[in-house]
Amino acid sequence: MYGPRDLQVYVRNSSHQIVGQLDDFTQVQLVMRYNAVSNWTMDISATERNVALLAPGSNPNGGLIFELYGTTLLSGPIHTFAYAMGADGTRKLTLAGPDDTQYLANALVWPDPAHAIDSQATAYYTVTNSASYTETLMKNLVNLNLGPGAITERRKGGLTVETSSNRGKTGQSFKYRFEPVLDALTEIARGAPIGTPPGYLGFRIRQKDASAGIEFQVYATTNRLDTATFSEGRNNLISYSYQVQAPTASYAILGAGRETVDGSESAAVVAKELFGYTRVDTQPVFPGYRVESFVDVGEVDPTATDAQAQLDEKGQDALYTGATSVTVSMDPQDTPQLTFAKDYFLGDQVTVVVPYEGVIQEQVREVELTFNASSGLTTEITVGTEATTSHKTSGATKRLNTLADMIKRLNTRK
């Protein structure tokens, strides 16, 4: 169980060196997301020392590191710096930013990362029936597109890539062309379920412990279904809500390759070959509910030797993201036996007992920690499937993001 002062906040400079520690904040909020960009905000008094450490003018491209008992929860750059003076003369700073995983969203997967954009030698970044493990493929992709192995103009200063521990599976095949690195990593990780029941590899960028610099890391999620159980009967739920939503895709029609059809640019019309994929929903709350969806995978050559492996990856990815959505939002009560960051973490599989639905066993997708100097720590946790709509994202926003993603794929997969 934690209090507000159990959180350590350090300030770093543009070279990722620690230049100070902050212990007089009034509130810190961390929104940690699994395999996605996290965010942080902080309110702190505008003392001369704090302004000198945090203002862009005195610490350009600086950032913050948030640790809990020596474990780095997240780190990231300062993207918002705001100053305010109240009518009573109090002066306050409000700071905000993403975590370092943002750099994965900022970079695209170039077809040929070894050459400048006007000297691309291939149409796609391609992996074919790889003998390397999933973790190694993920780290290679990051290394070549923004890590030490990237061309100079694309290299993120101070970023290193953790040595691979060969987790995941071999035999994966995929192609990318200007998708965000973050999206590619998410798709690759989905293609290599680990454990029973299956979880997935997690990834992030964060400040390296005990040294300057940031590091791309891959970690294995943990099955804690038997050890991390939340229920009213265990008195470890202050409040909670849940919802289930019908699947948006249970049968995927994949259109692969391209052929010329006069007057048409529709992916469904010009697809050279069509393939069908179905999925047995792991959430039996909408039995037999069929939703057909067309998926453009025009970058897959149906005649390629690894075409089946690529199609399997794309088909299962479409059905995974379109599966029944199960969401539990809860405010848990920390206990000596069950405390976040000690006994479970982002991506771990946990059990939540709820009325009417019974038992929900899914991954921890989002954790919001609020450290308030006067009222202590509050925690909100979202457990559910990947199709879960975060309580931080409105349905309208999610639909706009989905539409933007569809347009992006049409523009990049030529």
Side-chain angles (χ1 to χ4, degrees):
M1 294 179 283
Y2 302 119
R5 295 308 173 198
D6 294 324
L7 181 73
Q8 291 84 49
V9 182
Y10 298 95
V11 184
R12 71 186 188 195
N13 62 17
S14 59
S15 300
H16 305 101
Q17 298 170 317
I18 295 176
V19 294
Q21 182 175 1
L22 305 173
D23 57 9
D24 56 342
F25 57 83
T26 53
Q27 180 167 291
V28 169
Q29 184 180 67
L30 310 178
V31 181
M32 305 171 60
R33 299 183 177 93
Y34 172 65
N35 287 1
V37 178
S38 300
N39 294 94
W40 60 268
T41 60
M42 183 176 70
D43 293 330
I44 193 169
S45 58
T47 64
E48 288 187 12
R49 176 181 181 273
N50 290 341
V51 171
L53 285 171
L54 300 169
S58 55
N59 186 13
N61 294 322
L64 297 182
I65 306 162
F66 302 93
E67 293 186 0
L68 200 58
Y69 287 128
T71 297
T72 301
L73 296 178
L74 60 81
S75 58
I78 299 172
H79 277 188
T80 300
F81 175 88
Y83 172 90
M85 185 184 76
D88 60 355
T90 58
R91 302 168 190 269
K92 182 181 77 169
L93 301 178
T94 298
L95 302 105
D99 78 324
D100 289 319
T101 304
Q102 177 68 48
Y103 299 120
L104 299 175
N106 292 351
L108 302 179
V109 182
W110 284 19
D112 180 11
H115 295 92
I117 197 62
D118 56 356
S119 301
Q120 295 289 288
T122 60
Y124 294 95
Y125 180 93
T126 305
V127 168
T128 304
N129 289 328
S130 178
S132 298
Y133 285 88
T134 306
E135 178 181 358
T136 302
L137 297 178
M138 294 167 69
K139 290 179 174 177
N140 286 345
L141 188 144
V142 172
N143 179 51
L144 294 174
N145 284 280
L146 67 152
I151 60 176
T152 302
E153 68 183 80
R154 304 188 67 206
R155 202 173 297 160
K156 170 57 188 170
L159 174 65
T160 57
V161 178
E162 181 186 53
T163 301
S164 177
S165 296
N166 293 330
R167 288 169 287 200
K169 70 175 186 180
T170 60
Q172 283 182 275
S173 297
F174 49 79
K175 286 184 177 181
Y176 292 108
R177 176 183 169 86
F178 301 119
E179 290 87 353
V181 170
L182 180 69
D183 293 355
L185 292 172
T186 301
E187 188 173 76
I188 296 169
R190 280 195 212 110
I194 55 175
T196 305
Y200 298 88
L201 293 172
F203 61 85
R204 63 201 172 200
I205 295 179
R206 69 180 187 183
Q207 185 85 14
K208 292 176 65 176
D209 295 332
S211 66
I214 54 177
E215 183 177 60
F216 174 70
Q217 303 171 345
V218 173
Y219 63 95
T221 58
T222 303
N223 176 355
R224 302 189 188 276
L225 297 177
D226 295 330
T227 60
T229 298
F230 301 88
S231 69
E232 293 183 60
R234 292 174 182 256
N235 294 317
N236 59 7
L237 282 179
I238 298 172
S239 64
Y240 67 98
S241 63
Y242 77 92
Q243 72 173 24
V244 295
Q245 290 181 294
T248 57
S250 60
Y251 184 83
I253 301 170
L254 273 59
R258 289 284 189 270
E259 62 183 1
T260 301
V261 177
D262 290 342
S264 178
E265 294 184 358
S266 167
V269 172
V270 304
K272 189 173 184 179
E273 292 191 36
L274 300 172
F275 303 85
Y277 283 81
T278 190
R279 169 188 170 112
V280 177
D281 204 325
T282 58
Q283 302 292 337
V285 291
F286 297 98
Y289 187 61
R290 182 180 175 95
V291 184
E292 296 180 345
S293 175
F294 182 83
V295 182
D296 174 25
V297 291
E299 75 276 17
V300 178
D301 179 1
T303 64
T305 57
D306 66 333
Q308 192 61 54
Q310 291 187 59
L311 291 167
D312 290 347
E313 295 272 352
K314 299 295 185 183
Q316 293 307 315
D317 182 67
L319 293 172
Y320 181 80
T321 55
T324 299
S325 169
V326 178
T327 309
V328 182
S329 297
M330 60 182 180
D331 183 0
Q333 174 65 60
D334 284 346
T335 67
Q337 296 77 31
L338 194 56
T339 300
F340 176 73
K342 284 185 178 179
D343 305 300
Y344 66 101
F345 201 72
L346 269 173
D348 288 351
Q349 298 171 28
V350 300
T351 297
V352 187
V353 181
V354 299
Y356 312 116
E357 188 59 28
V359 174
I360 293 176
Q361 297 183 318
E362 290 293 343
Q363 288 185 281
V364 177
R365 296 286 174 179
E366 182 175 293
V367 178
E368 180 182 324
L369 302 173
T370 302
F371 296 84
N372 188 281
S374 58
S375 59
L377 169 68
T378 58
T379 306
E380 293 183 34
I381 294 177
T382 301
V383 174
T385 60
E386 187 173 13
T388 291
T389 300
S390 167
H391 65 282
K392 294 297 182 186
T393 304
S394 68
T397 299
K398 184 167 184 176
R399 287 191 293 274
L400 287 173
N401 290 342
T402 301
L403 179 60
D405 183 64
M406 293 169 60
I407 294 171
K408 175 187 66 182
R409 287 175 179 270
L410 288 174
N411 289 336
T412 58
R413 295 182 175 180
K414 300 293 186 182

